[in-house]
Amino acid sequence: MNLSESSVRSSDSPAIQTDVCQLKIGFIGAGNMAFGIAQGIIASGKIPPSNIIISAPSTNNLPRFQERGVSVTHSNEEVVERSRLVFLAVKPHLVPKVLNGISRNVTQEHIIVSMAAGITLETLEELLPAGTRVVRMMPNLPCVLLEGALLLASGSCAGEEEETLLKTLLSPCGLVEAGPEPWIDAHTGLSGSGVAFVYVFAEALAEGAVKMGMPSALARRIAAQTILGAGVLLRDTGKLPAELKAEVCTPGGTTIHGIHALEKGGFRAAAMGAVEAATERARELGKK
Ligand SMILES: NC(=O)C1=CN([C@@H]2O[C@H](COP(=O)(O)OP(=O)(O)OC[C@H]3O[C@@H](n4cnc5c(N)ncnc54)[C@H](O)[C@@H]3O)[C@@H](O)[C@H]2O)C=CC1
Ligand SMILES: O=C(O)[C@@H]1CCC=N1
């Protein structure tokens, strides 16, 4: 069995089913993140939507999954019973309650992937049967458009092979990387929360243009396209931000005057401080 078609095996864990395309996948929680990740998995073309099941206590969020051929239920236990790869997509404070509810249904055949901000691998492993294969994952909102940035970290009974499986399944969601657990909290600040920091910047750019007389709807559209274009250039050229910045800055021109204003306003320190504050908050959420 090999992963490209395929199945994966952890050295001291059971094989991860037969074919990846036969893997049964579950989601507990049916919010935006579950939707983004499920869309990515469906887009991979490796898993038929009928092999995916999702649970939530109310029906509010379920129709958009049903429309894509995903099975839905109100029972978290049913999700665990019918799946081998289970994504935990509830808010962090609900994780202990949800894991207490499903723990007796979890076997060593399962891989449990939590995307809850701050909740540590140690906590997840304590709440699940000994030997459970657990992975922590931090996605971000653009996963819903398959332009996300995800970071994975494995628990003590999971590793490279579970990460390989997840990278294969999740790569349509965007950039998928793996790293040590402490990076997950930093990634939460940089990217999970960082998306919202970019929106604050977008709003501020647009409001600057409104102040200078541009209609706000047009200013917002241009701000969005400016951020999109700058981001694609940064990603696709592989150049450093400083190199691209230098390409825009004509000596004595408009941009360097604007950058001076940003620096006088402490923009760079504020952005670094935002990532630091969000990372610290993720660490705090993880404390028992
Ligand atoms: N929203 C974001 O940008 C990001 C969120 N996350 C993490 O993803 C997780 C989910 O976040 P969102 O999708 O934004 O939340 P959400 O509030 O949109 O969705 C949570 C879902 O959980 C369901 N739910 C509530 N109680 C439940 C229970 N007892 N059993 C099963 N389902 C239950 C809700 O009905 C809802 O469908 C959170 O832990 C968050 O930290 C991670 C990265 C980014
Ligand atoms: O604000 C939060 O706690 C979640 C985690 C990252 C993005 N949203």
Side-chain angles (χ1 to χ4, degrees):
M1 295 186 286
N2 78 51
L3 183 62
S4 48
E5 303 265 298
S6 97
S7 79
V8 283
R9 182 188 295 277
S10 273
S11 50
D12 46 7
S13 304
I16 299 171
Q17 290 250 5
T18 48
D19 283 333
V20 161
C21 61
Q22 283 171 18
L23 188 65
K24 299 281 199 277
I25 299 181
F27 286 85
I28 296 179
N32 281 331
M33 278 305 110
F35 186 64
I37 303 300
Q39 290 216 109
I41 290 173
I42 293 168
S44 77
K46 294 184 172 68
I47 306 283
S50 55
N51 280 13
I52 304 177
I53 180 167
I54 186 153
S55 63
S58 86
T59 43
N60 294 349
N61 287 328
L62 296 178
R64 60 180 171 169
F65 293 92
Q66 280 172 302
E67 282 158 18
R68 284 162 177 78
V70 170
S71 304
V72 301
T73 174
H74 296 308
S75 164
N76 298 340
E77 286 162 297
E78 186 185 349
V79 167
V80 176
E81 273 160 18
R82 289 179 50 187
S83 323
R84 285 295 168 263
L85 177 61
V86 179
F87 290 92
L88 194 55
V90 297
K91 293 292 188 192
H93 70 279
L94 292 172
V95 168
K97 181 182 145 204
V98 167
L99 291 186
N100 281 330
I102 61 164
S103 181
R104 67 178 174 280
N105 307 85
V106 173
T107 69
Q108 293 193 5
E109 298 281 330
H110 288 97
I111 304 169
I112 308 292
V113 183
S114 166
M115 59 187 85
I119 305 299
T120 63
L121 288 164
E122 187 187 7
T123 299
L124 296 164
E125 287 180 346
E126 273 173 20
L127 291 165
L128 287 161
T132 304
R133 289 178 286 168
V134 177
V135 177
R136 239 184 109 181
M137 166 175 114
M138 181 48 54
N140 68 356
L141 189 59
C143 284
V144 300
L145 290 176
L146 310 182
E147 285 291 355
L150 297 88
L151 187 66
L152 310 170
S154 290
S156 57
C157 300
E160 212 173 295
E161 296 184 30
E162 284 76 13
E163 287 172 5
T164 303
L165 171 72
L166 287 165
K167 282 182 180 174
T168 303
L169 286 175
L170 299 177
S171 58
C173 294
L175 176 72
V176 188
E177 300 279 355
E181 186 178 17
W183 296 359
I184 297 278
D185 289 332
H187 178 75
T188 307
L190 168 65
S191 187
S193 302
V195 170
F197 307 155
V198 173
Y199 294 141
V200 172
F201 182 57
E203 197 174 47
L205 280 181
E207 284 175 353
V210 171
K211 186 177 180 196
M212 303 317 292
M214 186 182 281
S216 61
L218 178 62
R220 281 196 302 274
R221 284 204 302 280
I222 293 175
Q225 185 61 29
T226 301
I227 289 170
L228 176 70
V232 173
L233 257 186
L234 187 59
R235 181 189 64 187
D236 293 353
T237 60
K239 290 184 181 174
L240 293 172
E243 289 177 86
L244 289 166
K245 186 183 75 174
E247 286 177 21
V248 185
C249 283
T250 305
T254 61
T255 315
I256 196 65
H257 280 77
I259 284 176
H260 189 200
L262 281 177
E263 298 290 6
K264 280 195 278 194
F267 177 78
R268 195 183 288 259
M272 287 175 70
V275 174
E276 184 181 22
T279 304
E280 293 294 359
R281 178 60 182 151
R283 289 180 184 157
E284 205 174 278
L285 287 173
K287 286 190 186 134
K288 286 176 262 173

